[in-house]
């Protein structure tokens, strides 16, 4: 069985992924500043120690929201770029017969606003904001680490949702919380369109990528998407329909640093991983609303 380090282990994806890895008998080293302030990806020494005896690393830790990166570019630079540079250096310095492997979580934001939808992985990278540019640079560092004999793979995530413990201001949990509790649903760009993917589906794809990467296969960027687009107006309407009439929908202009439309092509994920998203948005969103309600009654 493998021993794996998961950075960002306490986040939306990390929480579920760690459980899945442990369920198949792997030893998981969790690493997250929310768990322990010393578990900071910006600390070279902390990362080096955490990665000293693992077979591989799943690097999920990041400044993970576009708006946060816009508000604090320096933190984004440190967490999203310098940390992955430090991590690849730590892994490259390891003296072991079998070099460790690395799976890096990137984002569909790297594509920017594409003229043609759905977007394939071969589309040109056109990052529109600080967060997206940090992910492009992170991918470059990870691909370059292959010259140090590291096995590396890259996954691009697309609007992952599904946990009541996710950041409250992210669009999907924010809309679900309004449906569960009542209140205002604020739409910043009614026609903004995204490809939402449930966290359970994402974790299954990551498990397959981990399996292949741990066997020495370098996987070039694969995005995880459903191939289905949903406007924010449609998502807000779904939330309102589940709220027993307790919500108010308020429109606001779209932010100028956001990608307005993204729908990904799921073909490559199916070919390489044998994976496809299976959770319909309505089912996943309705369960999220119910999970939030259940937390209120505990």
């Amino acid at each position: 069985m493998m021993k794996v380090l998961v950075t960002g282990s306490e986040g939306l994806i990390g929480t579920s992924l760690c459980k899945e890895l442990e369920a198949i008998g792997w030893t998981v080293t969790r690493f997250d500043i929310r768990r322990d302030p010393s578990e900071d990806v910006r600390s070279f020494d902390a990362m080096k120690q955490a990665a000293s005896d693992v077979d591989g690393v799943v690097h999920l830790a990041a400044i993970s929201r576009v708006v946060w990166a816009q508000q604090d570019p320096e933190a984004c630079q440190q967490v999203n770029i310098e940390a992955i540079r430090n991590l690849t250096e730590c892994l490259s310095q390891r003296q072991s017969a079998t070099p460790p492997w690395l799976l890096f979580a990137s984002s569909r934001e790297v594509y920017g606003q594409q003229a043609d939808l759905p977007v394939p992985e071969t589309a040109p990278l056109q990052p529109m904001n600080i967060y997206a540019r940090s992910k492009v640079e992170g991918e470059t560092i990870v691909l370059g680490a292959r010259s140090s004999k590291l096995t590396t793979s890259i996954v691009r995530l697309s609007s992952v949702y599904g946990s009541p413990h996710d950041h409250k201001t992210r669009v999907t949990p924010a809309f679900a919380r309004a449906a569960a509790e009542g209140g205002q649903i604020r739409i910043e760009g009614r026609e903004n369109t995204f490809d939402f993917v449930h966290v359970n589906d994402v974790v299954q794809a990551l498990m397959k990528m981990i399996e292949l990467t741990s066997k020495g296969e370098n996987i070039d960027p694969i995005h995880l998407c459903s191939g289905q687009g949903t406007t924010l107006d449609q998502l807000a309407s779904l939330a309102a329909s589940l709220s027993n009439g307790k919500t108010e929908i308020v429109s606001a202009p779209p932010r100028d640093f956001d990608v307005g439309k993204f729908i990904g092509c799921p073909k490559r994920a199916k070919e390489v991983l044998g994976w496809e998203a299976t959770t319909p948005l309505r089912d996943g969103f309705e369960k999220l609303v119910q999970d939030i309600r259940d937390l209120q009654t505990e």
Side-chain angles (χ1 to χ4, degrees):
M1 291 294 103
M2 291 275 181
K3 183 174 183 180
V4 60
L5 168 65
V6 178
T7 71
S9 59
E10 308 310 297
L12 167 64
I13 297 170
T15 302
S16 296
L17 179 62
C18 289
K19 291 178 181 177
E20 195 75 11
L21 288 166
E22 288 174 337
I24 64 169
W26 285 30
T27 300
V28 177
T29 298
R30 289 171 168 81
F31 192 94
D32 196 307
I33 199 169
R34 286 167 288 192
R35 236 175 57 95
D36 186 327
S38 70
E39 295 176 356
D40 191 333
V41 294
R42 292 171 293 186
S43 169
F44 183 89
D45 290 340
M47 288 296 294
K48 185 175 182 179
Q49 182 177 354
S52 63
D53 63 346
V54 298
D55 298 294
V57 179
V58 180
H59 187 60
L60 302 173
I63 298 293
S64 59
R65 295 197 63 204
V66 170
V67 66
W68 293 345
Q70 292 294 124
Q71 293 168 347
D72 195 343
E74 183 177 353
C76 184
Q77 170 75 24
Q78 293 172 347
V79 175
N80 289 13
I81 299 174
E82 297 306 325
I84 188 62
R85 184 176 285 117
N86 288 342
L87 177 58
T88 56
E89 184 177 341
C90 291
L91 297 178
S92 299
Q93 291 177 354
R94 282 265 307 274
Q95 301 296 318
S96 56
T98 304
W101 51 266
L102 170 64
L103 172 58
F104 173 64
S106 185
S107 167
R108 55 93 178 160
E109 286 281 345
V110 299
Y111 300 111
Q113 188 59 68
Q114 297 285 324
D116 298 320
L117 301 174
V119 178
E121 286 89 344
T122 53
L125 304 188
Q126 303 172 160
M128 289 177 54
N129 50 60
I130 293 168
Y131 170 77
R133 289 193 288 273
S134 76
K135 285 300 184 181
V136 170
E137 189 160 350
E139 289 190 12
T140 301
I141 292 168
V142 169
L143 292 173
R146 292 178 183 176
S147 64
S148 301
K149 298 183 180 180
L150 294 183
T151 300
T152 69
S153 296
I154 296 171
V155 61
R156 292 172 179 160
L157 303 172
S158 175
S159 302
V160 184
Y161 75 100
S163 170
H165 303 291
D166 197 4
H167 296 291
K168 294 181 180 181
T169 54
R170 277 202 174 112
V171 63
T172 314
F175 285 16
R177 194 165 296 279
E181 302 174 351
Q184 187 181 96
I185 298 175
R186 180 179 170 85
I187 307 176
E188 295 178 327
R190 278 184 174 270
E191 296 307 311
N192 281 6
T193 303
F194 302 109
D195 193 328
F196 295 97
V197 187
H198 196 275
V199 63
N200 290 351
D201 289 334
V202 168
V203 168
Q204 292 308 308
L206 292 179
M207 293 294 288
K208 184 61 178 178
M209 290 192 74
I210 290 168
E211 176 189 349
L212 296 175
T213 309
S214 68
K215 292 178 179 178
E217 184 171 336
N218 290 306
I219 304 176
D220 290 337
I222 290 181
H223 57 219
L224 304 181
C225 55
S226 69
Q228 303 293 321
T230 301
T231 68
L232 293 186
D233 189 49
Q234 290 171 329
L235 187 63
S237 296
L238 174 58
S241 73
L242 299 171
S243 70
N244 302 318
K246 299 183 295 183
T247 58
E248 174 192 14
I249 298 176
V250 176
S251 293
R255 301 179 300 199
D256 59 7
F257 51 79
D258 280 335
V259 175
K261 292 186 179 182
F262 175 81
I263 302 171
C265 175
K267 182 178 179 181
R268 185 162 179 267
K270 189 170 184 178
E271 290 175 347
V272 176
L273 307 177
W275 174 91
E276 57 186 343
T278 59
T279 306
L281 177 59
R282 182 178 184 89
D283 292 353
F285 187 81
E286 190 167 355
K287 184 178 185 305
L288 177 58
V289 173
Q290 187 58 51
D291 288 344
I292 293 172
R293 286 178 175 147
D294 290 344
L295 281 177
Q296 296 171 348
T297 61
E298 290 182 357

